[in-house]
Amino acid sequence: MIARIIACGASFAFFIVSCAAFDTNRAGSGSAGTLPHSLHRVIVRYDKASVDHSLPEQIALLQVEPGVLKAQALPHVGMAVVSLDSSAAAEQLVRKLEQHASSVLAVPDTWVTAFDFGARTAQQRRASPPGACSANPACRMRGLIVGDCCPVADGTMLSCCSSRVQDLLMLRSIHGTFISAGESGTLSQVSAPAASSSVFEISANDDGTVSLRSQSGRYLMADERGDIHATGEQIGNTTKFSITRNTDGTVSVSSSFGLYLTADKSGALAVNRAQALGWEQFTIVDKAAPGQRVGNDPEMSRLWAMQDYGGFDIDVPEAWNIWTGEVGKGITVAVIDTGIDYTHEDLREQMWVNPLEIPGNGIDDDQNGIVDDIHGADFANQDGDPMDDMMHGTHCAGTIAGVGNDRQGVAGVAWRGVRLMALKFLDSAGAGRVSDAIQAIDYAVAQGAKIASNSWGGGGSNPALRMAIEHAEAAGMLFTAAAGNEGNDNDVTPSYPANVDCANVISVASTTWLGAVSTFSNTGVHTVHVAAPGSDIYSTVPGGGYRRLSGTSMAAPHVTGMAALVWMYRPQLSMHQVKDIVLGSVRKLSSLEGKISTGGLINAKNALEAAWAFAPPQPPAHAPLALAFEDVDPNIAVYGGTVTVTAAADESDIEYYRIYFVSGAGFQLQGLGEPIPATGASEYTLKVNGSFVPSTYARYLVAVSGRAIGELPAQLQGSAPRVALKDYGRPISGARALRWTGDADRRLGFIQGSLVFDRALNEASVTNYNVYWRMADGSRGPMLGSIDGAGFREPACTGRTCPFINGSRTAAGGFRFERGAYAESEEATISTFGPGRVNVLRFDTEEVYDSLKIGSDEVSGNLSGSVPFVKEFPEGPLNIAWKSDESMQGGGWSIEIFDASPSVEFKINTTALLGSGFEVVAAYGENELQSHVAFVRVMDNVPGHASEPMAAVVPTTGRGLAASSSNGGGAAEPAKATAPSKQGRDRWHTGQGESEPWLPRRETTGNYGRVHWSESVFRRERGSVVRSSFVVQGLAPEVASQPATRAELVRAFATSQTLKDASVRLVSIAAVGDSEAVEGSVAAKIVFEVEGPSGASTAASDRVESALISLAAGGRATSRFDAALGAALAPSPADGAALASAAAALSCRFGASQPLSAMMLAAEAELLAATQATPAPEGRKLRGAVPYVFA
């Protein structure tokens, strides 16, 4: 918060803190393999109806924005993720895109965490009590003897570590017999357990021992003679036992006298052995009752959530007696989390395998942009290996679908048949970016996942995430989400993504083995749907291990596994039907009434029985006969044309036809256009406009028939007709300045030499150049070969300052860019292509704050004594970014760029002369640019008949004047180009403006400090209202609640372009808690709501939300808010003398770099305290006071 310690007294500060997300500049170095924390991202969504360019073109435009490192398209969710090098660049991009009608949303990226880790800071975790598992016999009995399981990282106490633990168990001896307690208290060994006599309740005592109570209500007692019986009325010395877990998984029970419980072969029981050998070893076992099926997994007894004699399990053995998934078609479940240990013995058989990827060959076989994505993908580290480096995702996966009945480990709710898709976006610390989560959702939809399990959240609402979940809903994906671990009411304090209002979301709370809501679990009678076991859950962890964890993170996988079991049982069900079954089959509990919407705990048996009775969709029996489509849109990756559907032979059961994109893996993606009503025609057509951009993963179009009660599946197998997508995309520019070097073969009728040409000005749409003969009659002859494109582009300037940067060609063939004395807040990006070099000829800027960033190297300051100097850059695209801040300026800079030679040589070995010359045609795949064909005439060089080729025309001035076309001679002539600008010699401009004062100049009156927003809690309420809060240090709640102050607080929001027309209402003002205030100072927490203009669209509300996220991220918008609020809250001139004196006394506390507003507010606070009849209370004493609430 405070950047440095002030040594000369108690410090006051003015800054603003909101209340729950992550700063994009996260502290810490990060773990190996994670993305750098200094990377900033913006998520952009375009409106297809108003977009002026195709998505690939939009990506190209984004790529050259100042500070942009990478722009990545997510076509399936209609978005782009832009990575930038600074928060200032991110903020500027958001502000710029807000002005574009085609940009529905531009929002800074936010952070989220796994819901059972990371909720507390590292310092809080270190301050937690040390893991007491090894000292607690109940924990030892469960094998929890290593690590800080008591408490877990989020502070939740595990059940086995609390002071009073109750559990139900049976003890089986080494002989296979069970300990049984009769009504009289006599203990014996029985061959078959009975619920009335073989079940014991175990309670953990405060001294580390346990007590065992029979079903008759009496405790087991062992006396000094070694006799044991169940007659104890209360816990005492003789009813206390110690539990020791043996290395083979068994346990041994010893009395308070240090002797072990023994079961001998005769059936007798005694406590008289000093050592624990074979007869002293027991196994905790569950026995399936009639109507149940329990596998042979040795750790089943640990899975209380599946089956527990306390009665608050989810009846999984009863469900398994109906269906385990072993003989079904299976289902793909995406675990969007920290990854999965796909080598774990209890998971590897259940892992999803990408059918289009060849393992370990280092090639992106399915061409989805990810190499070797065999079991999923890692979006945190941008690679194809989703191995779990934490444990969270692996633990969730084991609960969903650990292999059942395999004689090892545990079993998941979905015993067999699930294909677990590992989508890692959380790093080894359990933190991740929303943009990476969106990429994971995009991948899951494209690869056919039917359910996504999401045990993460935090950071508040993000409209981009909501849109991605909406797209998943459209694709038929169920989205289970953990409700959160803060113990909050999500109706009042939302938690995302659980609070996203989409019809495919199921929000899940956590319960204990006693049926109560877990103390950590969030609830919400309107926003949390169901509850599931989440306390003390035993499951898989990386490295082949197992462990107990607690959290709503552990509850959500139970719902995911049950939904998968239901869907495999009845695969004809729709996503919405599966959700209705999950919610409608709960077991009502009084402990959940009024806390969650259904008031119940999920129940697997009830769900399968409901699925049996639930009427599945009934699609038509008849399918369309044929499908035809040919793309006619020349834009790359954009489709346009006419889709033709041949009607079914019998339309009696058909109400409509629909067209879907299908991935190469055979899974349905988004629909194309609206359904086509079936009217009895023999053929139907659907016009596709040229702005439709399908998913990156789309490979086919499939036509299906449907009716109100069901629709045929869009898949590659079956009766639905399909057509492979073939992009008609064409290059936008072609080869330039084609020339022939001359015939080296002196024989008549033969030639030998080279064709040389310049690459297209921008090869973004060129994959190769094809070389042909041109015949004497002008027709095209045979093809000689092709040359690959390299992604080349000539230097080009983009950004608002480009009109004032002089550009020219140098005599040596390079490009010169010059900026003289410059203004404040300039920005421009010069994009080029390497390899090459940049010569810095002149450089004079304000050091640090005004800079020219050449790739990753930043140049700043007055370098008159160091120029000229050269910076080399490697092959590939290069951005040179110029920016200046709002304060001092300098004399400017001058650079020259010498990039890779655009010339390409195509050698022609001795061959017969077939025509008059050669043609070079740019192509995108198989599609050639016929409107621009470069031609050069060829003369047969025979002694006495030779004709030397003309010299090639090489333009010396003017940008873009080298584009060539055929002239039928020995050289290419330049194409017509726009005349250079007359603003200066050989200078060009982008047409973005003619006058320099594009940004009003203003005098800088003070060096305002940046406002600090952290832990933001931007929460979308129903409708268009967005709620948030911030904290002002040094501002007493009593002062903040005054009408004049409240008006200034509201007025400060007008500094944001997005919020200036919105309605801002203060909800409450209160003193803050210790976690939000600087020690010893007063502080006010202001909760407010923002509502867009009346009648505004959802997109307008999204922009309001984005603006608030931008304020939390820091930057100029935050500085403007700080300055406006600081100036508004400054004392009146009448208090000037006293205020000046107080401010002078405080100046050493702040230093010159502190905001003027901070000193003024601190001085005002001291003046206020000094003039009171009684001393003003300290900020700590104000905390917890009743807030000022405004109607």
Side-chain angles (χ1 to χ4, degrees), residues 20-93:
F22 291 84
D23 189 342
T24 51
N25 282 316
R26 291 166 49 84
S29 59
S31 59
T34 60
L35 289 173
H37 289 157
S38 60
L39 191 65
H40 299 258
R41 291 183 183 168
V42 171
I43 307 167
V44 184
R45 173 167 169 75
Y46 292 99
D47 180 6
K48 294 177 183 177
S50 61
V51 70
D52 297 325
H53 303 276
S54 69
L55 189 56
E57 290 175 314
Q58 295 285 6
I59 293 297
L61 293 173
L62 288 171
Q63 188 65 61
V64 297
E65 288 291 333
V68 171
L69 303 174
K70 179 183 179 182
Q72 179 180 359
L74 301 179
H76 189 68
V77 291
M79 299 183 191
V81 175
V82 187
S83 300
L84 302 102
D85 59 8
S86 68
S87 59
E91 180 185 6
Q92 185 59 42
L93 180 62

Side-chain angles (χ1 to χ4, degrees), residues 921-964:
V921 187
Y924 175 76
E926 299 178 359
N927 305 323
E928 297 181 333
L929 180 63
Q930 298 298 344
S931 62
H932 186 111
V933 177
F935 171 71
V936 64
R937 186 176 300 279
V938 175
M939 299 296 184
D940 190 359
N941 187 11
V942 178
H945 300 278
S947 176
E948 292 299 324
M950 297 168 59
V953 177
V954 180
T956 57
T957 62
R959 178 170 180 252
L961 301 183
S964 64

Side-chain angles (χ1 to χ4, degrees), residues 1043-1059:
T1045 309
R1046 283 157 38 200
E1048 295 300 340
L1049 289 168
V1050 171
R1051 194 172 293 117
F1053 285 97
T1055 61
S1056 170
Q1057 183 73 18
T1058 306
L1059 299 176

